[in-house]
Amino acid sequence: MIRFDGVTKRYADGTVAVDHLDLEVPTGEITVLVGPSGCGKTTSLRMINRMIDPSEGRIMLDDVDVRTIDPPTLRRGIGYVIQQAGLFPHRTILDNIATVPYLLGWDRKRARSTALELLERVGLAPEMARRYPFQLSGGQQQRVGVARALAADPPVLLMDEPFSAVDPVVRASLQDELIRLQAELHKTIVFVTHDIDEAIKLGDRVAVLRVGGKLAQVADPATLLAAPADGFVREFLGRDRGIRRLSFVADTGLRLRSDLVVPVTSDLSRVAGVAADVESPWLAVVDEDNRPLGWVAPADLPRAGTLRDVRPLPYGTFVRGKDSLRTALDAALLSPSGCAIAVNGDGRVIGVATRESLDEALALAASEAPEPHDAPVREDADG
Amino acid sequence: MDEEPLVRWDWIARNWSTGRVGSISSLLVDHIVMSGLPIVLGLLAALPIGLACVRWRRLYQPTAGVMNVIYALPSLPVFMFLLPLTGLTKATVIIPLTFYAVAVLIPAVVDGMTAIPDHVRQSAVAMGFNPLRRLLQVDLVLAMPVVLAGLRVVAVSSISLVSVGALIGQGGLGNLFTDAFKRDFPTPAVVGIALIVALALVADGALVFLQRMLTPWARVRRSA
């Protein structure tokens, strides 16, 4: 665990970058520091590995004051990923990754074989090993940056806006990659970003900082979205935070109907009757294997033949028990029926979430919006 | 009397290596020593001064100013000024050329160091390099292409400037020019020019070769 204890950083010109920061970074979790420029998030990060020393307060790393550890020694035990990757242009990819093992005095063979493993672990081909950094794309360089930070298997990883210099598609894949890696590695990660969406996607806990280096709120993403501590946090989260909060609401509260599902082998002469019985203008069509084909409106269909003869309309699905309410809602909005098809892990249809059941689930989610906790609540002029 | 030919090959053959002072080969060796030493000494002096200027930025402007003034001084009066101190020795030539080399190489060191991207420097710190190791394994290596470019300028200009020393009898191959003028005999001058140009080309080529060997990462960048 990393603990900030009343940490303040004041520069010679009087600028306060970080103001009495108290924060706990739990072991094995991703804690994101997020805020606008000038909020002291990078300064806070760099005080952990003593690239900057605080003016007041102390930072405890597993109950040891980091100021009692010689900086190079401290830093070799903490992985660091910097914006633009910061790879050494004069070293091959393999030697870049092996930087800290070399510094720790591992023999070259061991350092290189570890580096090669990490290269593959971050999803790069072994052929990259002998290239130089400028021969790689920005996204690939950033992967190498992550591999380099992991090379000596440090328990703590500091990441300073590591994905902000790459395009959005690459950024999303790097974020997914980090989530995948973290599921295997369980590092204690402090991640700095100015992008609130990135913070919410990656963070187990998100600490929102305001300009002047004050902590505005620290909470898990769902709590943050549901109950921002003040106007600043609310504004920083952006307008659609309610919708985004649904990403953290499980779909288990969603009532499913199985009577709206008809097999593709059904006679058209019967389908209209089914629709009338279940009192729905729409029916979901599945194939013999119980996989979704789409929606039909029986009222518009001919009376002869089977459902095979008609072309079902587009549909959206969500995986029951795995996807969030947001995914279910998204699936509903992609269907002309306004209903979402629920499938199991194998992609087989297990029912339909109608607009009524979505409505109930949304009302439930709204009523369960958690109260803000472990953060100061302030009344702001704009709040 | 017949027109004197531009080159008398028999003169070259007779004077190439007589074993005496003033033979062409001994002048060539003198020339290499008198131009080579300033390059090496200049680099050795410019590195710490340049690094100090990077570390304490306010040193750089005054240092650069002084160095520019030195560089602007014509070599001949500097030789004359040094004569009472060092006499008609090679040192009289080597000292000013060393100063010229330093004047060119300090900015090269400073530019090379400041051109290192900030994120690279920061990540070296964050990886846990201690200052000396960072200097040797990261900063100086990354500054090398710029420093080597400065060295190429210094090498060629030193090789050419040594010949001015002929006016005090210490010009290496330049002595062949004064010889030629005194005797109205062009062959030594032609030999001197040819050898000086050849020497400059060889030195420059050697530095380019060195650059390719030492900075493969920069070579790939050029061809990419």
Side-chain angles (χ1 to χ4, degrees):
Chain A
M1 183 166 74
I2 303 167
R3 201 172 77 237
F4 287 78
D5 247 356
V7 172
T8 294
K9 178 63 191 178
R10 197 178 297 107
Y11 286 103
D13 64 358
T15 319
V16 175
V18 178
D19 194 359
H20 289 94
L21 179 65
D22 292 307
L23 181 69
E24 283 190 357
V25 177
T27 302
E29 290 190 2
I30 301 183
T31 299
V32 180
L33 306 182
V34 66
S37 34
C39 73
K41 52 192 189 295
T42 294
T43 306
S44 302
L45 187 82
R46 291 185 171 184
M47 286 193 288
I48 297 172
N49 72 352
R50 296 196 61 190
M51 288 170 79
I52 299 172
D53 275 330
S55 320
E56 281 167 35
R58 51 184 196 161
I59 294 168
M60 309 295 286
L61 178 62
D62 293 330
D63 295 318
V64 180
D65 187 341
V66 294
R67 296 246 262 184
T68 62
I69 309 171
D70 162 59
T73 310
L74 175 72
R75 291 169 192 152
R76 288 170 200 174
I78 298 178
Y80 196 95
V81 188
I82 197 169
Q83 195 177 358
Q84 297 172 289
L87 301 183
F88 301 127
H90 61 298
R91 291 190 168 179
T92 61
I93 296 309
L94 200 66
D95 284 340
N96 260 288
I97 298 174
T99 299
V100 179
Y102 289 157
L103 288 172
L104 290 170
W106 296 16
D107 71 74
R108 273 189 113 67
K109 223 174 133 188
R110 180 176 162 221
R112 290 196 160 165
S113 71
T114 304
L116 200 59
E117 277 169 36
L118 278 160
L119 187 69
E120 296 186 47
R121 181 151 224 175
V122 297
L124 291 174
E127 301 90 85
M128 300 275 180
R130 297 175 64 178
R131 298 198 186 159
Y132 287 99
F134 75 94
Q135 295 171 298
L136 271 58
S137 70
Q140 289 171 331
Q141 289 193 23
Q142 213 46 263
R143 284 170 193 265
V144 175
V146 173
R148 182 174 64 171
L150 292 170
D153 200 21
V156 175
L157 218 53
L158 308 181
M159 309 185 79
D160 187 5
E161 306 225 13
F163 308 147
S164 59
V166 293
D167 69 67
V169 175
V170 174
R171 189 182 312 143
S173 81
L174 288 169
Q175 291 166 345
D176 294 339
E177 193 81 5
L178 179 65
I179 291 169
R180 186 183 64 74
L181 277 173
Q182 172 67 352
E184 297 169 14
L185 301 173
H186 307 292
K187 301 288 181 189
T188 304
I189 300 179
V190 186
F191 190 107
V192 162
T193 181
H194 60 265
D195 177 354
I196 186 67
D197 292 318
E198 185 168 66
I200 283 170
K201 179 171 177 184
L202 297 177
D204 295 305
R205 294 188 358 129
V206 177
V208 185
L209 296 159
R210 67 176 84 234
V211 178
K214 277 189 181 300
L215 182 62
Q217 185 174 10
V218 53
D220 62 273
T223 306
L224 197 68
L225 287 165
D230 60 23
F232 167 77
V233 178
R234 196 175 306 130
E235 190 155 306
F236 195 72
L237 286 167
R239 290 215 174 277
D240 50 354
R241 66 182 171 85
I243 295 287
R244 286 188 285 163
R245 190 173 73 83
L246 293 179
S247 302
F248 298 95
V249 178
D251 67 352
T252 42
L254 211 50
R255 203 162 42 82
L256 299 184
R257 283 180 70 175
S258 51
D259 54 351
L260 300 189
V261 182
V262 288
V264 71
T265 48
S266 309
D267 282 335
L268 285 175
S269 54
R270 279 190 54 244
V271 169
V274 173
D277 288 347
V278 299
E279 292 179 358
S280 166
W282 294 95
L283 293 175
V285 185
V286 295
D287 64 12
E288 290 91 338
D289 219 15
N290 213 15
R291 294 180 198 280
L293 293 172
W295 291 97
V296 290
D300 303 339
L301 297 178
R303 296 293 162 193
T306 68
L307 276 172
R308 281 186 203 286
D309 305 325
V310 301
R311 206 166 134 164
L313 296 168
Y315 64 97
T317 63
F318 67 99
V319 181
R320 177 69 163 180
K322 177 170 173 285
D323 281 335
S324 67
L325 201 50
R326 185 177 182 175
T327 310
L329 191 63
D330 189 56
L333 292 170
L334 289 172
S335 310
S337 61
C339 305
I341 298 177
V343 296
N344 63 16
D346 299 331
R348 293 193 166 77
V349 175
I350 53 176
V352 166
T354 60
R355 274 179 282 184
E356 292 73 27
S357 66
L358 284 165
D359 196 32
E360 285 168 20
L362 288 175
L364 188 68
S367 71
E368 281 177 352
E371 291 301 310
H373 57 81
D374 70 347
V377 180
R378 287 194 191 80
E379 284 311 314
D380 274 24
D382 60 347
Chain B
M1 193 176 157
D2 285 344
E3 181 90 352
E4 177 65 29
L6 196 58
V7 179
R8 276 185 182 274
W9 295 101
D10 57 322
W11 182 88
I12 299 174
R14 268 182 287 115
N15 289 279
W16 177 256
S17 181
T18 57
R20 282 181 286 111
V21 177
S23 73
I24 300 172
S25 62
S26 72
L27 290 176
L28 180 62
V29 171
D30 285 354
H31 204 103
I32 292 171
V33 170
M34 281 192 289
S35 55
L37 266 181
I39 300 170
V40 174
L41 295 175
L43 182 62
L44 289 179
L47 268 177
I49 300 173
L51 292 175
C53 289
V54 173
R55 174 71 182 76
W56 298 283
R57 291 302 301 195
R58 59 181 64 181
L59 283 181
Y60 184 42
Q61 280 316 323
T63 309
V66 170
M67 284 300 150
N68 278 339
V69 169
I70 289 175
Y71 197 61
L73 292 176
S75 50
L76 191 55
V78 178
F79 293 160
M80 297 308 162
F81 176 77
L82 281 173
L83 270 180
L85 302 169
T86 51
L88 295 169
T89 62
K90 291 188 175 62
T92 311
V93 177
I94 290 170
I95 291 169
L97 291 189
T98 301
F99 274 97
Y100 293 158
V102 172
V104 173
L105 290 175
I106 287 176
V109 171
V110 172
D111 290 348
M113 292 289 288
T114 48
I116 299 170
D118 196 45
H119 59 105
V120 173
R121 199 186 297 269
Q122 299 274 7
S123 78
V125 174
M127 294 297 119
F129 279 87
N130 60 38
L132 181 65
R133 201 158 172 180
R134 179 161 63 95
L135 181 70
L136 295 177
Q137 294 189 350
V138 180
D139 293 355
L140 284 181
V141 182
L142 291 177
M144 198 147 37
V146 183
V147 175
L148 282 172
L151 270 182
R152 288 176 65 185
V153 174
V154 168
V156 171
S157 77
S158 289
I159 287 167
S160 140
L161 275 174
V162 165
S163 51
V164 181
L167 292 168
I168 58 161
Q170 290 289 358
L173 294 167
N175 288 3
L176 294 171
F177 303 152
T178 44
D179 189 32
F181 281 119
K182 271 188 256 169
R183 297 198 283 151
D184 195 17
F185 173 46
T187 299
V190 172
V191 170
I193 291 170
L195 285 179
I196 287 171
V197 169
L199 200 55
L201 288 176
V202 167
D204 196 50
L207 283 168
V208 170
F209 180 75
L210 192 69
Q211 188 164 6
R212 299 212 162 184
M213 289 299 102
L214 293 178
T215 63
W217 47 279
R219 179 179 65 204
V220 193
R221 187 194 313 254
R222 274 195 298 274
S223 63

